[in-house]
Amino acid sequence: MAVATRGLRLPRAGHGISVLTAAPSVLQQHRQVHHAVIPHGRSGRSSVSGIVATVFGATGFLGRYVVNRLGRIGSQVIIPYRCDQYDLMYLRPMGDLGQLLFMEWDCRDKDSIRRAVEHSNVVINLIGKEWETKNFRFEDEFVNIPRSIAQISKEAGVEKFIHISHLNASMKSPSKYLRNKAVGEEAVREEFPDAVILKPSEMFGREDRFLNHYANMRWFGGVPLVSLGKKTVKQPVYVVDVAKAIINAIKNPDAKGKTYALAGPHRYLLYDMVEYIYAVAHHPFIPYPLPRPLYHLVARFFEMNPFEPWLTRDKVDRFHTTDMTFPDLPGFEELGIEPTPLEQKAIEVLRRHRRFRWLDAELEEAKPKTQPM
């Protein structure tokens, strides 16, 4: 009789040998012989892609798109979580029956991490948050936890480790978020030299905290921008493109050990981009310059929110940082993806901000002014 171990079946033990005695040797052979890692069936959710992936941070903004992309090609996905089970309900239909395995985990418990990755041939780290809490600082989210996951994944024999960083990650950044992202890249590379590191710029999509953030500023009587947003250049990337890049990096054997810079096809002045956001949302655009120290003072007031702060000082610095360019690093083209321009998908995000009378209005010809690459 087969014995189930963490959602995967162990082969039948031989005559005269107990299943428990045979288990260690069976697990040793598991990665080569188990049916979950042998591709079969037609492509689709009911097929088997051969990918058994553990996705840390699957409940976040990018995570839902990654899980959906993995599920639609027939991958088995292990989803460690710390939230309430009801917060996972929207993930369940993304895979075929039994293909999504949910397990509670403690990010500070190495045995818990080990249980999450021991049966996987791919591990994806999407862990991150835009603000610090008393329990988790940026150092924990972007350095310590990724280091532990990378170290244990290497020990467990994981074939491919994918780590999500940020395009502007730099030790010289005024943003603590971005400084720790840079340290996290080095920590992951040290523990798992063949790790694939993806550096996306600010991502936009239906549930984002980028376009929606600026669209919601209309409730404050206008849009405050440091230097009126005319000294900041942004190159936002569509979240679905980043999810596709993760899947293609898994399939591409040449991706091991590489770092990819993922940015949208166009660059915009922050002022022009926000102006376009309000044009699509059919709201008047009322910008006004706000000095950075005063902006920080306003953000500090929002940081008093005991739940999710709408604005933080670090977010002010991050959103007013010009997106860097990396001509020497591979990008979407090397992964076989054509990046989606903001103009094509902005309506998906911003339609909810329109008044009823403009809900189905056609997009106007006005487009944001682009900057040279």
Side-chain angles (χ1 to χ4, degrees):
M1 181 176 67
V3 178
T5 301
R6 307 197 185 285
L8 300 175
R9 295 179 180 176
L10 297 176
R12 190 190 305 272
H15 296 293
I17 302 177
S18 69
V19 173
L20 292 178
T21 304
S25 60
V26 169
L27 285 176
Q28 190 70 24
Q29 301 173 11
H30 167 267
R31 295 186 184 281
Q32 287 73 31
V33 302
H34 196 275
H35 65 85
V37 297
I38 301 177
H40 59 271
R42 296 181 178 181
S43 61
R45 295 187 192 273
S46 297
S47 64
V48 175
S49 67
I51 298 172
V52 181
T54 299
V55 183
F56 292 95
T59 56
F61 171 47
L62 175 59
R64 67 180 68 198
Y65 295 93
V66 174
V67 172
N68 184 43
R69 288 276 161 181
L70 287 169
R72 70 194 299 178
I73 62 174
S75 304
Q76 190 167 65
V77 186
I78 295 92
I79 302 176
Y81 68 93
R82 297 173 52 248
C83 57
D84 190 278
Q85 289 192 5
Y86 287 100
D87 296 331
L88 303 167
M89 298 300 289
Y90 65 91
L91 293 175
R92 295 186 182 276
M94 294 183 180
D96 202 10
L97 184 63
Q99 289 292 79
L100 300 187
L101 308 176
F102 298 87
M103 61 172 294
E104 293 188 48
W105 77 299
D106 180 358
C107 57
R108 292 193 171 102
D109 182 4
K110 292 191 174 182
D111 290 333
S112 178
I113 299 174
R114 191 170 288 108
R115 287 193 297 271
V117 305
E118 62 184 348
H119 295 298
S120 301
N121 53 23
V122 175
V123 173
I124 304 171
N125 175 42
L126 308 177
I127 292 175
K129 216 167 190 177
E130 291 190 343
W131 64 92
E132 295 180 297
T133 66
K134 64 178 180 180
N135 294 322
F136 293 98
R137 316 299 292 180
F138 283 146
E139 292 86 350
D140 298 318
E141 299 169 13
F142 301 136
V143 182
N144 299 332
I145 296 174
R147 178 189 285 120
S148 297
I149 295 174
Q151 177 188 1
I152 293 171
S153 297
K154 185 67 175 179
E155 294 172 356
V158 171
E159 297 174 14
K160 188 161 286 187
F161 184 88
I162 296 181
H163 175 72
I164 303 300
S165 183
H166 194 284
L167 186 69
N168 296 327
S170 170
M171 291 301 299
K172 298 180 180 180
S173 174
S175 165
K176 186 179 179 182
Y177 176 104
L178 296 175
R179 292 197 301 272
N180 280 280
K181 280 284 191 179
V183 178
E185 287 184 25
E186 297 177 0
V188 167
R189 187 68 76 194
E190 180 181 345
E191 298 294 342
F192 203 118
D194 287 336
V196 181
I197 297 178
L198 304 182
K199 296 165 65 72
S201 58
E202 297 296 341
M203 293 180 286
F204 66 91
R206 291 180 185 270
E207 311 86 6
D208 71 17
R209 291 191 177 95
F210 185 56
L211 300 188
N212 283 310
H213 173 79
Y214 283 111
N216 283 323
M217 281 187 169
R218 69 184 186 275
W219 300 110
F220 297 93
V223 184
L225 296 169
V226 176
S227 300
L228 208 57
K230 295 188 176 182
K231 294 183 179 180
T232 305
V233 180
K234 306 301 286 185
Q235 194 172 355
V237 63
Y238 188 39
V239 64
V240 174
D241 291 340
V242 179
K244 289 179 182 178
I246 292 174
I247 303 303
N248 290 4
I250 293 173
K251 296 178 179 179
N252 185 358
D254 297 329
K256 286 187 176 180
K258 292 184 179 179
T259 300
Y260 292 84
L262 306 180
H266 301 145
R267 293 173 68 84
Y268 315 93
L269 278 178
L270 182 60
Y271 177 92
D272 295 332
M273 188 191 72
V274 178
E275 183 181 30
Y276 176 71
I277 290 172
Y278 278 79
V280 173
H282 282 273
H283 285 287
F285 177 49
I286 308 174
Y288 56 90
L290 192 64
R292 191 179 297 263
L294 187 56
Y295 213 150
H296 281 181
L297 183 62
V298 174
R300 190 174 180 84
F301 172 77
F302 283 98
E303 288 175 4
M304 296 179 181
N305 186 345
F307 302 104
E308 178 181 334
W310 183 75
L311 183 68
T312 64
R313 287 167 290 176
D314 192 89
K315 191 170 185 176
V316 171
D317 292 333
R318 182 160 55 90
F319 277 11
H320 288 85
T321 297
T322 293
D323 285 343
M324 294 189 286
T325 57
F326 296 91
D328 297 331
L329 291 182
F332 280 119
E333 184 178 352
E334 286 74 11
L335 292 172
I337 299 170
E338 183 178 351
T340 306
L342 173 67
E343 298 89 338
Q344 185 175 331
K345 294 295 182 178
I347 185 60
E348 292 185 3
V349 183
L350 301 171
R351 190 184 298 278
R352 60 188 289 265
H353 295 279
R354 289 181 169 185
R355 295 188 180 92
F356 177 76
R357 62 178 297 188
W358 301 110
L359 194 60
D360 295 321
E362 296 293 332
L363 285 176
E364 297 180 0
E365 293 299 324
K367 294 182 179 180
K369 299 176 184 177
T370 58
Q371 299 294 309
M373 299 294 283

